[in-house]
Amino acid sequence: MEPALRETVTQREQSMVLNDVNMLYHIYATVPPKTQRLMLELQRDNHVEYLLRGLQHLGPSFCSLDAKICCKPFFWHITLCRPWICYWILHSIALLGESVDATLEDKTIDFLSCCQDPDGGYGGGPGQMPHLATTYAAVNALISLGGDRSLTSINRDKMYMFLKRMKDPSGAFRMHDAGEIDVRACYTAVSVARILNILDDELVHNIGNYILSCQTYEGGISGEPGSEAHGGYTFCGLAAMILINEADRLDLPALIDWVVFRQGVEGGFQGRTNKLVDGCYSFWQGGIFALLQRFHSIIGERPTLVDAGGADCSIDSIQTTAESDLSEDEESSDGTSSQDDEACHFQHGGSQEASCSVNDKSAEMGPLYHSIALQRYILICSQDPGGGLKDKPRKPKDYYHTCYCLSGLSVCQHSWLKDEDSSPLPRAVLGPYSNVLEPIHPVFNIVLDRYQEAHEFFTRS
């Protein structure tokens, strides 16, 4: 008799997550319709209160956060938190359509100015070494605030010199002086340079070759050559290639296939193969589809979905299947969208396969993600009704996951729009239509109107 296979730690953890998620979905399916609508409602006021509470403690108390908050190795380090916290909070507030008062705005600008190094770039706090990750966070935070005082506080001349110092002879960038070289350094450097209108041929030189060397056999992009494909690095790699107009050099069909199969049966995304679902990848993985759908320069024209039977599945023809008590393809009197499923969504989850043909290349891009399932995961499994969002059930809420869960929710609601100034269709929004967030510029993850203000400001200055 063959010995029984031992369950691995990952398998046990996956079973726990599935049980937690299934329990929440079962509760949702069995409660009265009014309670269902409440479970699918974005708790805006509570989220804003939670975020403002965090931003109002930018003084000495933030020192204690240096070694406590930052636990994600992808973008930051334990000493690099404070500009990130400013960005996560300010961007989340902007996504919710709110703003901070003048006093708090001035304090935030003053604090970030103290983090700006005399020789360019931003450190994790006053007097700390400038670092590309916190430079990206500080610049995005200041743009999220908006206004002349915020934007003029960025020393662009010194910033350009800092970016030049971080440029490696290989073409890639280092995160800091004598620091590591990886794809996030390339993205943060190019993102900052592009939005500040200081990107030139010298900064762009050979970045594309480095990022190409990081695309793995799986189709995703790793942090450095020879490493495992990762959702955060895949977003960074693709976004950087878009910014330097070299996205068509990537194997896009393979990239799409890898990303789409990171969406699990829970509805959310995992960051790597055989890893657990995590709410932050709602943006890092889900945002990749927004990049491909919005930026025509990547593929020449907008992708057209074709289902397994050959029918057009573009946004205008997607039909929804209601799984709730609401009538099909209509909006209820309380503003709750009737959509609870889509005809065109990913195959491994028990649904119909869709493929994406790309202009004259006729390349199959693989199935697109299930937007409604992702929104369901964010609202039911990641949302803390008292304010803030989190990784998954049993995890605590934090500003990082609040930022990227809300960014992912915005992407779900807006990414299929042909006109970025249009409002989402009710069937694209799960829950009441009041759930709709502000649209973002998916390359920079900045609310669209704040991006436009910064773009105009730095173009004329």
Side-chain angles (χ1 to χ4, degrees):
M1 184 175 65
E2 293 184 2
L5 295 177
R6 297 182 61 183
E7 188 179 45
T8 66
V9 172
T10 300
Q11 288 172 325
R12 287 197 298 273
E13 291 178 345
Q14 177 63 28
S15 295
M16 288 178 58
V17 172
L18 284 174
N19 287 337
D20 290 341
V21 171
N22 284 337
M23 180 184 67
L24 290 171
Y25 289 164
H26 176 73
I27 292 171
Y28 169 78
T30 55
V31 296
K34 287 186 177 180
T35 306
Q36 288 184 339
R37 287 192 284 272
L38 182 61
M39 290 180 70
L40 293 178
E41 183 179 348
L42 186 67
Q43 302 299 315
R44 286 176 172 271
D45 292 343
N46 293 341
H47 296 321
V48 171
E49 183 181 349
Y50 166 69
L51 292 162
L52 287 175
R53 241 185 357 253
L55 196 61
Q56 288 165 354
H57 295 84
L58 288 178
S61 62
F62 255 53
C63 296
S64 65
L65 295 176
D66 272 351
K68 291 181 180 179
I69 291 292
C70 296
C71 56
K72 291 279 181 178
F74 166 54
F75 245 127
W76 37 89
H77 189 267
I78 60 171
T79 59
L80 298 175
C81 284
R82 287 180 278 179
W84 277 111
I85 292 172
C86 292
Y87 166 57
W88 297 332
I89 293 176
L90 291 169
H91 177 55
S92 297
I93 290 172
L95 276 167
L96 291 162
E98 301 292 338
S99 58
V100 300
D101 62 47
T103 301
L104 192 52
E105 180 178 320
D106 286 342
K107 287 182 178 179
T108 306
I109 295 169
D110 291 342
F111 168 74
L112 291 173
S113 295
C114 291
C115 298
Q116 187 168 205
D117 190 85
D119 293 324
Y122 291 79
Q128 292 188 20
M129 175 178 60
H131 190 286
L132 275 174
T134 41
T135 295
Y136 167 87
V139 168
N140 276 14
L142 291 164
I143 291 172
S144 295
L145 279 175
D148 285 359
R149 182 168 184 263
S150 180
L151 300 179
T152 54
S153 71
I154 303 170
N155 189 325
R156 290 199 297 161
D157 292 336
K158 296 289 187 179
M159 180 70 74
Y160 179 76
M161 298 308 296
F162 168 65
L163 295 177
K164 279 185 66 175
R165 292 200 307 274
M166 297 305 102
K167 181 77 172 178
D168 187 76
S170 67
F173 284 84
R174 294 186 179 275
M175 292 301 289
H176 56 86
D177 284 327
E180 66 272 30
I181 297 172
D182 57 32
V183 167
R184 68 202 164 125
C186 296
Y187 166 67
T188 49
V190 173
S191 175
V192 166
R194 184 65 177 269
I195 205 163
L196 297 182
N197 196 28
I198 55 175
L199 187 65
D200 62 9
D201 290 342
E202 186 173 356
L203 293 177
V204 167
H205 180 66
N206 264 349
I207 293 176
N209 290 337
Y210 180 79
I211 294 174
L212 279 179
S213 72
C214 296
Q215 186 167 22
T216 76
Y217 71 94
E218 297 174 277
I221 297 173
S222 61
E224 55 190 19
S227 296
E228 180 184 13
H230 183 288
Y233 293 115
T234 300
F235 175 90
C236 288
L238 176 60
M241 293 293 265
I242 290 170
L243 289 170
I244 64 173
N245 297 316
E246 295 184 24
D248 58 350
R249 297 180 64 193
L250 292 166
D251 185 345
L252 292 177
L255 187 151
I256 292 285
D257 278 338
W258 179 81
V259 175
V260 80
F261 285 104
R262 303 286 68 76
Q263 187 171 22
V265 293
E266 306 93 341
F269 280 96
Q270 60 181 188
R272 290 176 286 160
T273 305
N274 293 327
K275 294 295 182 179
L276 302 179
V277 65
D278 186 333
C280 72
Y281 292 108
S282 303
F283 176 75
W284 295 122
Q285 302 281 35
I288 290 170
F289 297 99
L291 296 180
L292 292 171
Q293 290 162 1
R294 278 290 178 91
F295 290 88
H296 300 184
S297 60
I298 304 172
I299 53 178
E301 67 178 30
R302 189 177 191 81
T304 300
L305 289 177
V306 180
D307 71 14
D312 179 16
C313 287
S314 64
I315 184 61
D316 297 320
S317 66
I318 290 178
Q319 298 299 315
T320 65
T321 302
E323 294 179 344
S324 66
D325 295 331
L326 301 173
S327 59
E328 183 172 349
D329 286 328
E330 293 180 356
E331 195 174 350
S332 71
S333 59
D334 69 347
T336 303
S337 168
S338 67
Q339 181 174 14
D340 203 35
D341 207 349
E342 288 176 310
C344 295
H345 50 76
F346 67 104
Q347 187 178 23
H348 87 282
S351 64
Q352 193 172 13
E353 183 177 6
S355 62
C356 182
S357 60
V358 183
N359 75 19
D360 58 350
K361 296 181 182 179
S362 298
E364 286 202 353
M365 298 291 287
L368 297 181
Y369 78 120
H370 193 325
S371 169
I372 295 300
L374 180 56
Q375 292 182 63
R376 185 187 296 118
Y377 179 81
I378 294 170
L379 292 169
I380 295 179
C381 301
S382 289
Q383 180 173 221
D384 185 325
L389 291 99
K390 54 192 175 182
D391 170 345
K392 58 177 70 70
R394 298 183 190 240
K395 294 285 186 176
K397 62 189 178 185
D398 58 64
Y399 302 123
Y400 165 79
H401 285 94
T402 299
C403 171
Y404 292 106
C405 285
L406 290 177
S407 297
L409 191 60
S410 174
V411 164
C412 288
Q413 296 167 348
H414 294 275
S415 64
W416 275 112
L417 293 176
K418 294 179 180 179
D419 180 0
E420 63 188 19
D421 294 322
S422 301
S423 298
L425 296 173
R427 67 182 184 221
V429 180
L430 183 64
Y433 199 73
S434 60
N435 281 359
V436 173
L437 296 168
E438 295 296 312
I440 63 169
H441 191 303
V443 164
F444 303 101
N445 197 18
I446 296 170
V447 167
L448 194 57
D449 63 356
R450 308 294 168 87
Y451 162 78
Q452 290 168 343
E453 178 191 12
H455 176 72
E456 293 171 6
F457 181 89
F458 293 121
T459 298
R460 67 173 183 264
S461 61

